[in-house]
Amino acid sequence: MTRANFLGAQGGRELIAFLSGAQSRTAVELSADRQASPRVIRLSRQPKAANLLDRHVIELAPAPRRPIRSAPPAIPADSVVLTNSAAFRTALAHQDGQAPRHVRVLVDATDPSLREARWSDPVRELLALHERTFMTAKECAPRLAGGSFVVSVVGGVTEAGVPLPVTGLFTGLVKSLALELPDTNVLATVHAAAPLEEVLATVSAELGAGQLLPVTYHVGGRRLTPRAVPAEATPDGMPALGQDSLVVAAGGARGIGAPILTALAGRYRPRIVILGSSRLPGDSGELPERSTFIRAQLNGPDRVSVAEANARFDRLREQRQVRDTLTELERLSGPGRVRYLRCDLRDPDAVRHAVDSVDGPIDLLLNIAGTNRASDVTAKSVGDFRTVRDLKVHTYLNLKEALRGREPRRWCNFGSFIGLTGQRGETDYAAANDFLNMAAMSAENEFTIGWTLWRDVGLGATPLMRAFLAEIDAYTPMPTEEGVDHFLTELTAVRDAPATVFLGDKERELVRGIRPEFLDFCMGEARALPYIDTVLRRNATELVAERTFTLDRDGYLEFHQVRGYPTLPGTFVPELAAQAAVSLVPNRVPVVFEDLRLESFLRIYRKDRPEVKRLTATLLRTDERESVVAVRVLGDVVAPNGVTIARDKLHFSVTVRLRDAPVPGPRWTHWDEHGSRPLRDPYHAPGSDVLLREVFRSTTGTREHPLGRRGRLALDAPALRRWFPDLLVPSVTLDGLVRVAVLHTVADRWTPVAIPRTVRRIDLYGGHTDLTLAALTEPVELYVTPVDLDLEDPEPENRAIAVAADGEVLLQVKDITGAIVGYVDQETGQYLDRERFDRQERS
C-alpha cells in the first residue's frame, strides 16, 4: 500500500498532516499505562531534542486563478441543485436532471444572524442543508466520474475577508470529498454577498482553473485560498492562569485532554470543572485483563455476546480513566478544587444546566469533545455522519448559548489538521473541524488548535493503530510531552492566530505527493517560471533576474525566424514582463500591458553561443486595487561573428498592471461573412524574411472584410504542451492576432510582411492561456479594425481582438505600430524584400 493509496483506507483514523518541525522550550514528562490513563505528570525545564511538529497559522492568502481547461457552464443541464434559498431555487429549478452527473449546492448565508456561531433558525436550516449535501454526495457519487460537485456559499465571508463559522461546514466536507472522488471536479467557492449571476460566473471560471486546495474565497475582486504558514508563537508576557482561575473543560477527562488538564493543574493549580458523558465507576477496584473480563461476561447469568462483552469492558475502562484523571487533578490542584459533571454535550438543556451550576467567571474554556468514524462517503451512514459532526458542532453551539452573557476570558477549541486539508473518509470530521477553525476566526479571545496524532493517548495509542502507523511510516505520532508543550506555549501566546495546526516532516512528504503546489504555497515558495533562471537582486520595489536563451532549451525559436535567425517573437515580451512582475509582486495576475516598445531583436545566432538577458522589474506604485510594474529586458548585442556591438542594450520595455484576479471580458458582436475575401498568410511563405512554422502556425481562414481584417485561431495543443506548458499570457494567440493586423493588399496582389515595434495597450480577459483557448470546443475569431489600418502611422488608432464563440472578448490589443520588411504575392507566394519591392513598384 502506497502512502497516497493509504488515504483511501477506512477505519477510525485521524490521519494526514504536513509540513515541518521546530524547537521546544519546556519538557513535560509523562508516565502512562497501556490505556493512556495518566498517573503522574511533572513539568521540567530540562533541555530536550527538537520538536517533531511545527506550529503553522491558518490564513486566507491571495492565490490568482490559473486556468488549465476551458470553463464549462456553471450549471450543466444534467445537474441536481440543492439550496436553502427560495430565490435561488426559483432561478434554478429548471436545471434539475433525472440522472445527474453534476451537483450544485447554493448556500445562502447572508442572514445577519449567521455572522456568529449561535443557535438560530438559519443555523438549523444550514445544518439540514449540510446533511442533504452529504446525502446527495453519497447517492450521486457512482455517477459523478467526469462530472463535478460544487458548493457555493454566498455571504459566507465578510467584506473584511473573515469567513463565517457555518462556511467551515461546507468547505471541510468539500476538501475531504475531493480526495474521495478524484475523477470528479469537486470544489467550493465562498463569496461575500454577491448577485447570483456573479456567483455562477465565478463557479464557471473556477471549474476551468487549477486548485491549490479545492476551496476559494472571493471578496472585493480578490481570490483567496486557505494556507498554513509556519510561525512561532509569540508570548504575550502575561501568566495564562493562577490559583484563583477557573478552567471549564467540555470533555477531556480522558484522551488527549487528560494530559493537558494535568499539565494545567501541575503548573497553575486552578479550579477545574469537567463536563463529560462517562459515568464514574461505583468501585475503585482495578479492571481485570480484557480476556478475563470477557470470559466472565460470557459465563455470567445474562450470557452476553462477545461484542457486548467487549463494549462493556471499553465502557468500564473509560470510566476508570476518568476516575484516574480526576484523582490526579485533585492531587495537583488541591482537595475540593476539581468537579466532574456528567452531561450529554449534544443536549442544549443539559449543557445549560451544567454551566449554570458552575460559580464564578470562567478564565479558560476548553472545548475538547470529539469522536471519529472514518468511512468513504458511499459507505458512511447518515447516522455516523451526524454523530461525528454534531458532537463537535452542537457542543460548540450549546456552550455558546449556555455562556451567553458570561463569556470566558479565553476559549480554546481542540481541532484537527484535517479541517485544513481534508481526508478520505472524513467528510463529517473535516467539516466539524473547519467549523471550529472559522468559528475562532470570527470570534474574540478564541483560538482553535489543529492537532495531529498523539502517540501515547487518544487514537494513536491503540496497539492496532501503532502497528499500522509503524507499517506505513507516513505520519508523525506526537509524544505526549511535546503536545502538552505546544498547548502551554499556545496558551500564553499573543492572540494574533485564531487557528493553528501542528505538522511534521513525514506529512510534508505525503502532501507533496498529493498537492505539491499547495505545500509550496504554504511555505511561500513561488512556482518555477520558465523565463526566470536566477534572481540577482530582489527587494520590496525592485527585482533583477537573468535568463539564458539557447536552442537546446528554446528550440521553438527555430520555428520563428527573422532573416534566417531564430528570434524571440516580439509578442512574447509581455510573457517575459509578466513573469518578472509576478516574481516581484507574487499573488497577483497581469491584466494589462502598456507602452510596449520593441527596440532590438532577441536572436540566437549560433547553437554554441548562449544569449544571456537581464530582466529588471521596478514597482511604480501599488494599492488594494492593483500594482504597476515597469519591466525592461537588456543584454549585450553580439553580431553573428561574435563581436559585441553594444553592452546592456535595451531590447524591450513595457509597463504591467497586476490585480488580484483576472478581469472579465466585454462583449463583441461577431461579423457576418458578407464581403469577405480570403488572403494568404504572408508569414508562412517560403523565403519570407519573417518565417513561422509549427507551433506558430496559429491562425487559419485569414481574410479581408469590409469592416477590417479577420481570421480564426488554430492553436496546436500538443505543440503548446511541448513548448509552452507554463506561460502566464496567451502569447501564441497574441502573436497570431497581431499578425492578422497586416492583412491587406498593395497593388492588388501584394501583402506586407511586418515586424511589430510598439503597442500602446494589451488587455487580457478571463485569465486565459494558450492551452485553455486551445481546449475550447467552439472557434475563437480574430478581428482587426479599421479597414485602412496603417502600421507605420506614428499615431496609430487600431484595435485587434480575440473573441470567443459566445461573444466574450478574450484578448484586446490597441494601437500597434510596425515596420514593413517585405511583401508576399497573394497569387504565387513569391516574397520580395521591401527594397526590391519598392524598386519594382517604381519601375
Side-chain angles (χ1 to χ4, degrees):
M1 181 182 293
T2 66
R3 295 183 179 184
N5 287 340
F6 168 69
L7 293 178
Q10 296 185 14
R13 296 163 188 163
E14 197 178 303
L15 303 172
I16 184 179
F18 55 97
L19 304 173
S20 61
Q23 299 291 325
S24 174
R25 287 166 295 281
T26 302
V28 179
E29 300 174 0
L30 173 73
S31 171
D33 67 6
R34 291 177 58 191
Q35 285 80 39
S37 179
R39 303 295 187 183
V40 178
I41 185 165
R42 299 188 304 275
L43 301 177
S44 71
R45 293 291 176 177
Q46 300 172 5
K48 68 169 189 175
N51 285 334
L52 299 178
L53 299 157
D54 194 13
R55 175 183 189 262
H56 296 73
V57 174
I58 300 175
E59 65 179 20
L60 301 183
R65 185 183 301 128
R66 185 160 62 95
I68 59 173
R69 64 181 75 87
S70 59
I75 304 182
D78 51 347
S79 299
V80 59
V81 180
L82 306 178
T83 183
N84 64 319
S85 166
F88 291 172
R89 190 178 297 111
T90 300
L92 302 166
H94 66 284
Q95 297 284 357
D96 291 349
Q98 295 300 313
R101 295 183 61 251
H102 305 273
V103 175
R104 296 295 181 268
V105 183
L106 291 167
V107 184
D108 182 359
T110 57
D111 191 291
S113 68
L114 296 173
R115 290 296 181 101
E116 58 179 349
R118 295 188 184 275
W119 280 118
S120 64
D121 288 341
V123 164
R124 293 182 179 90
E125 289 176 5
L126 289 193
L127 284 169
L129 178 60
H130 184 248
E131 192 170 302
R132 295 205 311 275
T133 300
F134 163 75
M135 295 170 67
T136 302
K138 178 179 176 69
E139 178 184 351
C140 296
R143 299 191 297 271
L144 293 182
S148 58
F149 194 111
V150 182
V151 178
S152 296
V153 187
V154 183
V157 60
T158 70
E159 294 292 344
V162 179
L164 273 59
V166 293
T167 297
L169 293 170
F170 295 93
T171 55
L173 185 152
V174 161
K175 283 181 275 193
S176 289
L177 190 64
L179 295 172
E180 295 188 26
L181 304 178
D183 298 325
T184 304
N185 198 348
V186 180
L187 60 91
T189 64
V190 183
H191 312 258
L196 179 59
E197 58 270 20
E198 181 180 320
V199 171
L200 296 181
T202 299
V203 168
S204 175
E206 292 297 336
L207 285 167
Q211 305 292 336
L212 297 166
L213 271 185
V215 175
T216 55
Y217 291 78
H218 304 270
V219 186
R222 295 177 296 158
R223 180 183 187 266
L224 309 170
T225 289
R227 69 177 179 183
V229 180
E232 292 188 3
T234 303
D236 63 8
M238 299 292 290
L241 300 167
Q243 291 189 33
D244 58 347
S245 299
L246 173 61
V247 175
V248 175
R254 55 188 179 85
I256 68 173
I260 293 290
L261 289 170
T262 305
L264 290 176
R267 172 172 289 193
Y268 300 111
R269 302 189 69 238
R271 290 191 298 131
I272 298 175
V273 177
I274 301 176
L275 312 182
S277 58
S278 297
R279 184 188 302 273
L280 293 180
D283 63 86
S284 59
E286 291 298 323
L287 190 66
E289 292 291 330
R290 181 185 291 269
S291 59
T292 303
F293 178 88
I294 291 176
R295 219 171 14 249
Q297 292 289 305
L298 293 177
N299 297 324
D302 50 355
R303 293 188 172 276
V304 300
S305 67
V306 174
E308 175 58 24
N310 265 299
R312 288 184 179 184
F313 180 86
D314 288 338
R315 286 194 294 270
L316 288 173
R317 185 181 63 180
E318 291 173 0
Q319 292 169 9
R320 279 160 172 75
Q321 290 173 354
V322 172
R323 181 198 62 197
D324 292 344
T325 299
L326 296 174
T327 300
E328 180 65 10
L329 292 178
E330 187 162 275
R331 185 187 72 80
L332 294 169
S333 272
R337 295 176 62 81
V338 178
R339 292 177 63 194
Y340 181 81
L341 302 177
R342 190 162 181 245
C343 170
D344 182 352
L345 293 167
R346 293 167 297 185
D347 183 339
D349 293 332
V351 173
R352 185 183 307 109
H353 178 76
V355 168
D356 287 346
S357 72
V358 177
D359 296 327
I362 299 172
D363 296 281
L364 175 63
L365 186 288
L366 296 176
N367 179 22
I368 301 174
T371 190
N372 178 276
R373 298 181 183 179
S375 178
D376 285 351
V377 68
T378 54
K380 186 186 293 286
S381 71
V382 177
D384 280 351
F385 180 85
R386 290 190 189 117
T387 296
V388 173
R389 181 197 67 177
D390 291 353
L391 184 53
K392 279 188 175 290
V393 175
H394 284 213
T395 294
Y396 181 92
L397 294 171
N398 291 340
L399 288 168
K400 281 287 181 179
E401 197 63 34
L403 290 166
R404 187 188 292 268
R406 55 175 300 195
E407 285 74 15
R409 184 168 63 87
R410 187 167 291 182
W411 182 305
C412 174
N413 301 302
F414 277 27
S416 168
F417 56 84
I418 290 175
L420 172 69
T421 62
Q423 160 80 16
R424 287 198 68 166
E426 306 281 10
T427 47
D428 42 15
Y429 197 68
N433 283 288
D434 217 14
F435 170 87
L436 293 180
N437 286 335
M438 297 182 186
M441 290 180 182
S442 61
E444 293 185 5
N445 302 317
E446 185 171 330
F447 61 105
T448 296
I449 301 175
W451 296 114
T452 181
L453 282 172
W454 290 48
R455 184 187 65 198
D456 306 312
V457 290
L459 179 65
T462 64
L464 177 64
M465 184 56 67
R466 280 191 173 183
F468 181 77
L469 292 172
E471 178 184 349
I472 64 170
D473 192 32
Y475 303 96
T476 310
M478 181 173 59
T480 303
E481 61 179 26
E482 181 178 330
V484 171
D485 183 73
H486 284 312
F487 172 79
L488 294 174
T489 302
E490 198 69 21
L491 189 61
T492 59
V494 174
R495 291 271 64 81
D496 58 356
T500 56
V501 287
F502 289 91
L503 309 159
D505 285 337
K506 290 181 180 179
E507 291 82 7
R508 177 199 295 272
E509 181 182 349
L510 180 65
V511 172
R512 188 174 292 281
I514 301 167
R515 300 189 187 279
E517 292 187 354
F518 177 65
L519 188 61
D520 292 339
F521 179 58
C522 290
M523 301 302 291
E525 298 173 4
R527 67 188 179 100
L529 295 171
Y531 288 118
I532 303 292
D533 283 348
T534 305
V535 176
L536 304 177
R537 185 171 68 253
R538 186 205 312 261
N539 56 41
T541 60
E542 185 183 35
L543 175 135
V544 179
E546 278 188 347
R547 171 55 152 85
T548 300
F549 290 83
T550 69
L551 288 182
D552 285 339
R553 70 187 298 194
D554 300 299
Y556 56 87
L557 296 179
E558 294 276 21
F559 308 128
H560 188 281
Q561 297 197 359
V562 177
R563 297 194 173 99
Y565 293 109
T567 304
L568 184 75
T571 50
F572 269 54
V573 173
E575 181 65 41
L576 271 66
Q579 294 191 21
V582 166
S583 296
L584 178 62
V585 186
N587 300 324
R588 279 189 158 173
V589 294
V591 296
V592 175
F593 300 88
E594 295 177 320
D595 194 22
L596 170 63
R597 307 189 69 81
L598 311 174
E599 304 289 350
S600 61
F601 290 118
L602 195 165
R603 288 173 170 166
I604 296 181
Y605 290 105
R606 288 170 32 181
K607 282 191 173 184
D608 61 349
R609 195 170 72 203
E611 294 287 336
V612 180
K613 305 303 175 185
R614 190 168 69 256
L615 292 79
T616 68
T618 304
L619 183 63
L620 301 181
R621 59 185 178 276
T622 188
D623 55 33
E624 291 185 356
R625 183 171 181 267
E626 70 176 6
S627 300
V628 182
V629 178
V631 178
R632 305 169 78 220
V633 180
L634 306 98
D636 296 343
V637 179
V638 182
N641 61 6
V643 175
T644 300
I645 300 173
R647 294 194 179 277
D648 290 335
K649 182 176 178 62
L650 178 64
H651 284 287
F652 320 116
S653 64
V654 66
T655 298
V656 188
R657 294 182 180 271
L658 303 105
R659 294 187 183 173
D660 290 332
V663 176
R667 311 304 295 178
W668 173 271
T669 301
H670 289 287
W671 298 347
D672 60 32
E673 285 296 324
H674 181 71
S676 291
R677 184 168 73 94
L679 285 177
R680 181 196 299 262
D681 189 321
Y683 293 90
H684 307 317
S688 173
D689 274 353
V690 183
L691 182 60
L692 278 59
R693 297 180 293 120
E694 209 235 29
V695 69
F696 294 109
R697 293 182 70 100
S698 58
T699 59
T700 188
T702 48
R703 53 207 186 274
E704 287 183 312
H705 187 275
L707 299 177
R709 290 92 157 156
R710 66 177 305 180
R712 178 168 289 178
L713 196 62
L715 296 171
D716 185 339
L720 290 172
R721 285 192 290 271
R722 177 186 179 190
W723 297 113
F724 309 122
D726 298 313
L727 298 191
L728 305 178
V729 174
S731 302
V732 176
T733 300
L734 179 61
D735 183 70
L737 177 60
V738 170
R739 289 201 317 273
V740 173
V742 305
L743 291 175
H744 67 284
T745 53
V746 176
D748 294 328
R749 57 185 287 193
W750 297 91
T751 301
V753 174
I755 54 175
R757 288 300 189 193
T758 66
V759 177
R760 183 177 66 82
R761 182 180 173 106
I762 301 170
D763 288 272
L764 306 181
Y765 298 111
H768 289 286
T769 66
D770 289 318
L771 282 172
T772 63
L773 296 180
L776 294 177
T777 56
E778 297 293 327
V780 173
E781 301 292 341
L782 309 176
Y783 300 98
V784 179
T785 60
V787 175
D788 56 348
L789 185 151
D790 180 0
L791 281 178
E792 296 186 320
D793 186 340
E795 297 183 358
E797 291 186 10
N798 53 63
R799 181 187 188 196
I801 64 171
V803 186
D806 65 358
E808 178 189 5
V809 176
L810 308 170
L811 178 65
Q812 180 171 247
V813 183
K814 289 184 177 179
D815 301 340
I816 311 163
T817 70
I820 296 173
V821 297
Y823 295 83
V824 169
D825 189 319
Q826 279 290 316
E827 296 179 7
T828 66
Q830 176 190 6
Y831 175 78
L832 294 179
D833 64 32
R834 183 166 186 169
E835 184 177 346
R836 289 174 58 199
F837 177 82
D838 288 344
R839 286 201 305 269
Q840 176 178 291
E841 287 300 301
R842 287 195 297 269
S843 62

